[in-house]
Amino acid sequence: MKFQKHVFICANQKDAPKKSCGTEHGLALIEAFKQELTARGLQKGIRAQRAGCLDACAFGPTVVVYPEGTYYGNVQVADVAEIVEKHLVGNEEVERLKLDV
């Protein structure tokens, strides 16, 4: 199966001085993306899945959308519906969350 878009949500958990996306609510974000995609009937064309470190720890929790390669930072569960609606459905990046990495 070929997906039109892939959403990778950092769920990395580590013991370090830096913030860890997994402990910041990365796992809740994965579930929220999956629920939102399923509720909209988009799960066959868009895949949301757990990822290891995306090397943007200072901006976590982080999410990256492919094929565009758009990184989003400090993503909250409340932001999921907006990312799905604007970016995944409407192909418009959510500028307020976008990272320049």
Side-chain angles (χ1 to χ4, degrees):
M1 171 181 286
K2 184 174 180 181
F3 295 101
Q4 290 103 17
K5 293 190 187 290
H6 246 102
V7 183
F8 292 98
I9 304 108
C10 181
N12 194 44
Q13 294 184 335
K14 62 182 184 234
D15 291 322
K18 292 181 186 177
K19 185 163 46 170
S20 170
C21 295
T23 56
E24 287 290 322
H25 63 268
L27 297 175
L29 284 171
I30 296 165
E31 189 57 33
F33 269 103
K34 286 182 176 185
Q35 286 178 358
E36 188 72 20
L37 292 172
T38 299
R40 292 169 175 253
L42 300 171
Q43 73 277 12
K44 292 187 184 208
I46 302 171
R47 169 110 170 135
Q49 67 185 67
R50 175 187 190 129
C53 186
L54 297 173
D55 289 328
C57 302
F59 308 103
T62 55
V63 170
V64 63
V65 178
Y66 286 106
E68 299 86 359
T70 302
Y71 275 74
Y72 292 117
N74 194 27
V75 179
Q76 306 301 309
V77 172
D79 298 321
V80 170
E82 181 180 7
I83 293 170
V84 171
E85 179 62 29
K86 283 190 177 172
H87 190 144
L88 302 180
V89 174
N91 292 310
E92 177 187 338
E93 294 174 337
V94 181
E95 291 296 329
R96 68 182 183 81
L97 297 172
K98 191 174 169 192
L99 296 176
D100 292 321
V101 292

